[in-house]
Amino acid sequence: NPYILATLLFGLGLGTTITFASSHWLLAWMGLEINTLAIIPLMAQHHHPRAVEATTKYFLTQATAAAMLLFASTTNAWLTGQWDIQQMSHPFPLTLITLALALKIGLAPMHTWLPEVLQGLDLTTGLVLSTWQKLAPFALLLQIQNVNPTILVTLGLASTLVGGWGGLNQTQLRKVLAYSSIAHLGWMVLILQYSPSLTLLALLTYFVMTFSTFLVFKLNKSTSINALAISWTKAPILTSLTPLVLLSLGGLPPLTGFMPKWLILQELAKQDLAPLATLAALSALLSLYFYLRISYAMTLTMSPNNLTGVTPWRFSSPQLTLPLAIATTATISLL
């Protein structure tokens, strides 16, 4: 029903906006809660057992994270008398809140729910989960001052490594995208303490790249790497561009995805964190491997061309192809 859909999407936007606009922990928590409650019916709308399972997993993790956040902020109010987000001073609630937000966005080692949940959703809802749902927790992470840098660096590095290693073994595209998401979030959190503007830049470029990747897979109607082998016959022009999108996600120059990684490594080197920058750069190679694998499956293997319908791509809907064209162009040539 379009009315219900509109209401839920409005609720999704409202929750994020409330969190953006709040300077009080209770309001921020309320925004996150509205956000979660709005996306749950969207996730379970197909009534498929797998979708319901994914929704349940998502609900439980988000509820746990929200409860942790509320507990930490009340503890902070109890210890310091402050409800203000930017006035956090006590290390205990600070650590707790950082971990709660990490659980909310799926940073390693609190990441295990993300691939499972994403695998159970259709690609459109998965796209919302990998982009829009990250905004509110990130807004809070950016506002918290004086977090112990060790925590953020540990979370970030663990995420880039887990995101790399976890994706190597997957054949399902949505799980690969989930691990890719974890790795990208790791890069963002790595630099959060030293240059928040870089975190925002990385988040923005990640959104653009993920958007085009999800739309490509949606247009192809493919959910596993095997299904990509016949995409030449479905959408030839798109298929020839997709490796560039995937390599941009992997962060190769001269594509857009290289920009945030380059700037982040430069900033880490400026902060005398050369070993950390080296580890992060090496972990990016792991991610690059599985992007290359997908590109290989999609474009460098010739499929047996015995399909009857060779031209479904001529008749694809404009409401899908226009955003796809914009996102793909941005993903390839924004550097």
Side-chain angles (χ1 to χ4, degrees):
N1 189 327
Y3 294 116
I4 296 175
L5 187 66
T7 311
L8 290 175
L9 289 174
F10 175 71
L12 208 59
L14 181 73
T16 309
T17 316
I18 287 178
T19 306
F20 276 3
S22 57
S23 57
H24 190 291
W25 273 117
L26 266 182
L27 261 179
W29 167 81
M30 199 168 74
L32 289 170
E33 210 60 12
I34 292 173
N35 209 342
T36 307
L37 289 177
I39 200 173
I40 280 174
L42 289 174
M43 291 171 130
Q45 64 184 336
H46 293 299
H47 298 299
H48 187 273
R50 187 67 184 84
V52 174
E53 178 194 340
T55 314
T56 313
K57 285 177 179 171
Y58 181 75
F59 173 69
L60 290 173
T61 49
Q62 296 298 311
T64 311
M68 255 173 89
L69 191 93
L70 196 58
F71 171 66
S73 47
T74 32
T75 309
N76 183 58
W78 175 50
L79 291 170
T80 61
Q82 278 290 346
W83 277 103
D84 203 303
I85 294 179
Q86 302 197 341
Q87 302 291 328
M88 299 277 288
S89 52
H90 201 285
F92 175 65
L94 261 173
T95 309
L96 257 186
I97 277 183
T98 314
L99 291 177
L101 291 171
L103 176 59
K104 251 195 181 315
I105 52 179
L107 286 170
M110 281 86 77
H111 67 283
T112 37
W113 60 272
L114 187 59
E116 289 298 320
V117 168
L118 207 58
Q119 181 55 32
L121 305 176
D122 68 316
L123 288 166
T124 322
T125 324
L127 175 60
V128 174
L129 180 66
S130 334
T131 53
W132 186 261
Q133 291 299 89
K134 309 264 188 268
L135 283 170
F138 253 104
L140 293 177
L141 271 174
L142 282 166
Q143 283 183 72
I144 305 174
Q145 311 292 325
N146 30 334
V147 185
N148 183 358
T150 321
I151 296 173
L152 286 178
V153 164
T154 311
L155 285 172
L157 200 57
S159 298
T160 55
L161 288 166
V162 163
W165 269 313
L168 291 180
N169 212 8
Q170 304 299 332
T171 55
Q172 296 292 328
L173 289 176
R174 283 166 295 185
K175 277 197 174 166
V176 168
L177 284 169
Y179 280 110
S180 143
S181 166
I182 294 166
H184 278 275
L185 290 172
W187 279 87
M188 291 169 215
V189 170
L190 211 50
I191 200 67
L192 190 70
Q193 201 61 27
Y194 309 106
S195 172
S197 50
L198 266 185
T199 299
L200 280 177
L201 177 77
L203 191 64
L204 200 66
T205 46
Y206 163 70
F207 278 8
V208 172
M209 296 186 297
T210 309
F211 193 71
S212 53
T213 316
F214 266 98
L215 285 186
V216 164
F217 293 154
K218 190 174 168 54
L219 203 69
N220 258 337
K221 298 186 178 57
S222 36
T223 51
S224 74
I225 292 186
N226 291 345
L228 287 176
I230 53 167
S231 59
W232 265 118
T233 42
K234 290 184 193 167
I237 303 167
L238 189 65
T239 309
S240 51
L241 280 177
T242 312
L244 291 175
V245 173
L246 289 165
L247 292 180
S248 184
L249 263 171
L252 281 189
L255 305 164
T256 313
F258 175 57
M259 176 172 55
K261 285 196 164 70
W262 179 23
L263 293 170
I264 285 172
L265 289 175
Q266 187 184 349
E267 184 61 37
L268 286 173
K270 269 186 199 163
Q271 300 284 345
D272 286 339
L273 294 169
L276 186 65
T278 314
L279 272 172
L282 288 175
S283 72
L285 290 175
L286 292 167
S287 307
L288 191 61
Y289 179 76
F290 58 79
Y291 295 129
L292 276 170
R293 215 172 111 207
I294 298 175
S295 315
Y296 182 72
M298 203 162 176
T299 49
L300 300 176
T301 46
M302 286 302 292
S303 67
N305 281 330
N306 51 7
L307 286 177
T308 45
V310 185
T311 53
W313 57 278
R314 291 182 199 276
F315 312 113
S316 55
S317 58
Q319 67 260 33
L320 190 61
T321 41
L322 179 69
L324 179 60
I326 297 170
T328 309
T329 316
T331 304
I332 293 173
S333 55
L334 266 185
L335 179 62

